[in-house]
Amino acid sequence: VIRQPLTMEELSPTFSGAEQSFVVLMQYSSETPSADAKAFAKINLSLPLSSPLISESRKWTDFVMTNRTKIEENWAALAPQRRWVNELAAFDRIGDLTSPDLNANIMSFKPWRSIVQHTCAFASLQAVDGLGDDATATLVPLLEVSRKLQLSSRTLIRTQIAYMAERMILETINYVLEYTPVSVASRARLLEALGTVNAPALARHLIFMEYAQFPALSGGMKLGDFYVMTHNHQSFLREPLNFLSPILINPKATRNSYGDIILEIANFAATRDIDKLSAREKIFADSLDKESRMKNVGGRLLLITFWHPFKYLAEMHWKNADLRTTLLKRLGTSP
């Protein structure tokens, strides 16, 4: 019996328009880059946007004003990428049809980082110039996309990109509101873009994604093939380990071990008990490393490799939730 039955379709159901939105999203991906994506890969942007943090208001203001010309040049060069973001924002939802495969086509991080950084920098310049409504209009599409990416996500990479984008956009919105007046209409547009998010439910979704993928990723995999894939310098072990796989791996016991710990951690994440989550993760990881029994030893090896510590992601999730809550309260007051 599988104690925690869960399929990816149950966790992240498909919907009308999912395929169309997913095709647009994956124009910037590892395996299916569009012509604009290939051109972007060759762009040498003249400004490596990094520190200072947007939350360091004075330093950030000095940074964007000092680098105004370069920021504006890069913003113009990113016109195709900005059109792509607007196209994504037009969808009510953004589907995720990523196949449960270790070699699956995944989103490319570099374009997102560049688009987010330059969007925040350019909107900040607009705020410095007293153009609060224009800055808001610059930020809204990417804010909407970051939220929609999270809601239907099936992969951690997609969720991490969405979290990164959301955090920087929320910080920039706060910066704009501090620096320059924003009209009632623009504040209402920001409230609409923020939407309503069930933070505990989204935290559970974050934790359960990897578990929902596990049966397809690990099912039918022989231990020797898996070991060579993760330790390619040990290829001589492939055949003997493949031969022993039926003895060394109990698929149901492995999945139940994974499901039990995932359920505990998901509950801790949903209640924001990060300390208990971290402690439980450590106990589980130590048990995989130190267990000496031969029973299901292959299953433990699979779990060691598949296991992703969730403390950092849970912390990121709730920090963003705090930013959202603070911003919602701020936007609900008079300008």
Side-chain angles (χ1 to χ4, degrees):
V1 175
I2 300 299
R3 290 191 290 270
Q4 308 297 337
L6 177 68
T7 66
M8 186 57 77
E9 184 60 30
E10 291 172 325
L11 182 70
S12 178
T14 55
F15 50 85
S16 177
E19 184 174 358
Q20 182 184 2
S21 59
F22 184 66
V23 168
V24 173
L25 175 68
M26 299 307 281
Q27 290 176 10
Y28 288 77
S29 62
S30 59
E31 301 296 329
T32 55
S34 65
D36 283 340
K38 292 176 181 177
F40 170 82
K42 299 177 182 178
I43 293 178
N44 182 19
L45 297 178
S46 57
L47 179 66
L49 289 172
S50 53
S51 58
L53 298 175
I54 299 169
S55 56
E56 298 174 347
S57 182
R58 180 171 296 180
K59 291 181 180 179
W60 178 248
T61 301
D62 291 342
F63 175 78
V64 296
M65 292 182 68
T66 299
N67 295 283
R68 173 186 288 271
T69 300
K70 292 182 178 179
I71 291 170
E72 291 174 343
E73 288 175 354
N74 290 353
W75 185 248
L78 289 168
Q81 289 71 42
R82 292 189 279 118
R83 287 194 296 270
W84 172 63
V85 169
N86 287 331
E87 187 176 357
L88 286 172
F91 290 107
D92 291 335
R93 291 181 285 178
I94 301 175
D96 191 350
L97 305 179
T98 305
S99 60
D101 188 314
L102 293 173
N103 298 311
N105 186 24
I106 59 173
M107 295 168 60
S108 297
F109 179 74
K110 182 180 176 182
W112 284 100
R113 178 178 59 188
S114 186
I115 292 166
V116 172
Q117 289 175 332
H118 284 86
T119 297
C120 293
F122 188 77
S124 298
L125 280 177
Q126 291 175 308
V128 169
D129 293 339
L131 304 174
D133 288 354
D134 290 347
T136 297
T138 297
L139 294 167
V140 161
L142 199 53
L143 173 61
E144 291 178 327
V145 171
S146 70
R147 179 172 60 88
K148 293 170 186 176
L149 285 176
Q150 295 174 51
L151 297 178
S152 299
S153 181
R154 294 185 174 188
T155 65
L156 288 181
I157 182 64
R158 170 168 160 154
T159 301
Q160 287 175 302
I161 287 172
Y163 280 170
M164 176 273 298
E166 182 183 44
R167 176 181 58 79
M168 292 188 67
I169 293 296
L170 293 176
E171 289 176 348
T172 307
I173 292 171
N174 271 318
Y175 175 87
V176 171
L177 292 172
E178 289 174 3
Y179 210 96
T180 189
V182 175
S183 70
V184 172
S186 290
R187 293 164 74 94
R189 183 69 186 90
L190 284 171
L191 280 169
E192 181 185 7
L194 283 166
T196 301
V197 174
N198 185 331
L202 203 55
R204 292 176 63 85
H205 181 102
L206 165 69
I207 305 300
F208 274 115
M209 277 190 297
E210 290 292 290
Y211 176 68
Q213 287 200 17
F214 183 70
L217 290 175
S218 62
M221 181 176 288
K222 294 182 179 180
L223 188 57
D225 296 336
F226 182 79
Y227 190 78
V228 168
M229 180 180 64
T230 55
H231 304 76
N232 54 20
H233 60 289
Q234 302 286 354
S235 58
F236 66 91
L237 292 174
R238 181 194 296 269
E239 290 188 11
L241 286 176
N242 279 349
F243 177 77
L244 293 172
S245 280
I247 301 173
L248 298 177
I249 299 177
N250 183 326
K252 289 183 179 179
T254 303
R255 190 176 176 192
N256 280 334
S257 295
Y258 197 11
D260 290 346
I261 182 64
I262 284 291
L263 180 61
E264 288 187 63
I265 288 177
N267 288 335
F268 290 140
T271 57
R272 200 174 182 171
D273 201 332
I274 306 300
D275 288 340
K276 288 184 179 179
L277 185 156
S278 180
R280 189 64 185 91
E281 278 191 325
K282 186 177 186 307
I283 292 171
F284 179 71
D286 288 347
S287 71
L288 293 177
D289 285 333
K290 297 176 182 179
E291 177 63 66
S292 59
R293 295 183 304 162
M294 285 301 295
K295 185 176 181 180
N296 198 30
V297 64
R300 292 198 300 275
L301 288 174
L302 288 179
L303 290 178
I304 288 172
T305 304
F306 274 101
W307 181 253
H308 292 277
F310 288 101
K311 177 186 176 183
Y312 169 75
L313 290 171
E315 288 177 332
M316 185 184 299
H317 168 81
W318 283 107
K319 285 178 181 178
N320 281 14
D322 287 344
L323 283 172
R324 288 175 59 85
T325 300
T326 300
L327 189 55
L328 284 167
K329 291 180 180 177
R330 184 172 190 173
L331 290 168
T333 61
S334 300

